[in-house]
């Protein structure tokens, strides 16, 4: 994909010379395409639940004299509207992350606290799915960043691990720090991800199995949010998986002392 997009203007200079002015529009052209794609994807994602809400509302009207049916339709209506709210929330989060290339709320953050807040947030889902989440020892590791964003990122990894695991299985959350790098790993014994799709799971709206993950209410945005947060913190996120056996997602972040030094360099 080495297409270069130029906008060319031509001006005549007298009778013998022509002046050509070429502007390189490659980057803005690419961004336009990305934006168009994003909007097309959003529209597609929203169409299904919005359609369902409409149909369910009609069904409710038709079934108004049968309490059982009314209850069933109302329950599904609630589910679909929750899904709409979640997708909208994630789109807002993602666009906010894309707009800000620097962290505005950065401070020293305890990774142990990020882990325990994320575990609190995912406890209800773990109980509902009968998945046991086990966390390792505290490390005291610190990083320079935005605690709320880091909790969002880790929350998304743990929520996925729970969501894509069978009942009765375990999810592990472990932290290690060495050589100025803090590593947080989330391991599950779940369905796994086909190897060819492992790199693509971080793309916006990508799902390995749309039917399956639509049933579980996913939007395909969770991991792209994780990637944005981690990269905004100068780190990276990687995935390993064996189909049918489980997956491990690892976030690596620069430890505080080093991160603070780098932030200082930029001034
Ligand atoms: P979703 O909201 O669909 O979970 P994500 O961006 O969080 O969106 O994940 C993208 C896709 O990656 C998911 O639809 C799922 O197919 C796959 N995936 C993510 N985490 C896991 C996991 N722990 N185990 C198996 N598949 C996963």
């Amino acid at each position: 994909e080495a297409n270069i997009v130029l906008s060319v203007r031509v001006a005549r200079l007298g009778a013998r010379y022509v002046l050509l002015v070429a502007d390189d529009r490659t980057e803005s052209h690419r961004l336009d395409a990305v934006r168009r794609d994003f909007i097309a994807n959003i529209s597609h994602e929203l169409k299904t639940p919005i359609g369902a809400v409409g149909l369910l509302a009609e069904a409710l009207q038709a079934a108004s004299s049968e309490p059982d049916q009314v209850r069933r339709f109302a329950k599904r209506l609630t589910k679909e509207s929750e899904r709409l709210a979640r997708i909208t929330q994630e789109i807002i989060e993602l666009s906010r992350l894309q707009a800000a290339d620097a962290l505005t709320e950065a401070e020293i953050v305890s990774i142990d606290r990020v882990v325990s807040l994320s575990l609190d947030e995912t406890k209800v889902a773990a109980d509902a799915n009968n998945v046991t989440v086990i966390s390792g020892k505290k490390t005291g590791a610190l990083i320079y960043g935005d605690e709320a964003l880091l909790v969002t990122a880790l929350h998304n990894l743990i929520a996925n691990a729970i969501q894509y695991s069978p009942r009765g299985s375990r999810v592990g959350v472990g932290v290690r720090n060495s050589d100025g790098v803090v590593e947080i790993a989330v391991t599950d014994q779940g369905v796994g991800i086909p190897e060819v799709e492992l790199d693509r799971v971080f793309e916006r709206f990508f799902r390995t199995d749309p039917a399956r993950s639509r049933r579980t209410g996913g939007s395909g945005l969770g991991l792209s949010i994780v990637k944005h947060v981690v990269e905004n913190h100068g780190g990276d996120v990687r995935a390993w998986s064996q189909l049918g056996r489980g997956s491990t997602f690892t976030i690596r972040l620069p430890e505080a002392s080093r991160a603070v030094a780098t932030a200082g360099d930029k001034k």
Side-chain angles (χ1 to χ4, degrees):
E1 295 190 8
N3 290 342
I4 292 175
V5 180
L6 297 176
S7 92
V8 182
R9 276 167 297 155
V10 186
R12 188 166 270 287
L13 295 182
R16 293 179 61 188
Y17 295 101
V18 167
L19 178 69
L20 287 181
V21 182
D23 275 329
D24 183 355
R25 301 259 183 228
T26 312
E27 183 57 14
S28 72
H29 195 75
R30 192 186 67 79
L31 288 177
D32 277 350
V34 168
R35 213 168 291 136
R36 270 198 305 274
D37 250 27
F38 189 49
I39 290 169
N41 278 329
I42 289 175
S43 316
H44 181 77
E45 290 304 316
L46 294 180
K47 233 160 89 182
T48 313
I50 288 174
V53 165
L55 288 174
L56 285 164
E58 268 176 40
L60 258 178
Q61 281 175 10
S64 57
S65 58
E66 299 183 44
D68 272 1
Q69 278 200 337
V70 168
R71 253 195 301 278
R72 215 180 59 231
F73 289 143
K75 217 167 143 184
R76 282 175 51 195
L77 203 51
T78 310
K79 261 219 149 91
E80 291 297 339
S81 62
E82 279 169 4
R83 191 171 140 70
L84 269 173
R86 188 167 48 238
I87 295 176
T88 315
Q89 178 57 36
E90 286 183 352
I91 290 169
I92 293 168
E93 235 164 67
L94 193 59
S95 55
R96 219 173 21 217
L97 282 168
Q98 282 172 326
D101 44 2
L103 294 170
T104 46
E105 310 275 328
E107 57 190 356
I108 296 290
V109 175
S110 150
I111 290 297
D112 295 330
R113 212 177 114 81
V114 169
V115 170
S116 85
L117 289 171
S118 309
L119 291 177
D120 289 349
E121 285 187 4
T122 47
K123 175 132 184 36
V124 173
D127 290 348
N129 287 285
N130 192 25
V131 169
T132 310
V133 182
I134 299 162
S135 62
K137 275 193 286 221
K138 292 189 158 62
T139 60
L142 300 174
I143 80 144
Y144 185 70
D146 182 326
E147 183 181 87
L149 288 180
L150 291 165
V151 171
T152 299
L154 188 57
H155 164 118
N156 286 355
L157 291 186
I158 300 172
N160 277 349
I162 293 168
Q163 185 169 334
Y164 298 110
S165 287
R167 299 182 72 81
S169 65
R170 292 169 169 204
V171 165
V173 181
V175 180
R176 285 194 308 189
N177 62 323
S178 61
D179 299 328
V181 176
V182 183
E183 192 179 289
I184 314 170
V186 179
T187 301
D188 65 60
Q189 304 169 320
V191 293
I193 300 162
E195 187 166 353
V196 287
E197 296 183 332
L198 214 46
D199 287 336
R200 299 201 56 203
V201 292
F202 296 103
E203 290 173 17
R204 287 182 306 221
F205 296 110
F206 183 82
R207 298 191 189 108
T208 57
D209 176 349
R212 180 195 64 184
S213 96
R214 190 158 295 132
R215 260 202 310 280
T216 52
S219 65
L221 287 174
L223 287 177
S224 54
I225 291 174
V226 175
K227 190 167 173 346
H228 266 285
V229 169
V230 172
E231 287 179 354
N232 279 2
H233 281 79
D236 63 21
V237 53
R238 288 195 285 172
W240 288 266
S241 191
Q242 264 186 303
L243 207 54
R245 308 195 70 168
S247 315
T248 296
F249 284 81
T250 315
I251 291 176
R252 295 192 311 163
L253 297 161
E255 220 178 336
S257 52
R258 192 183 283 192
V260 172
T262 332
D265 287 351
K266 286 190 191 132
K267 281 177 196 156

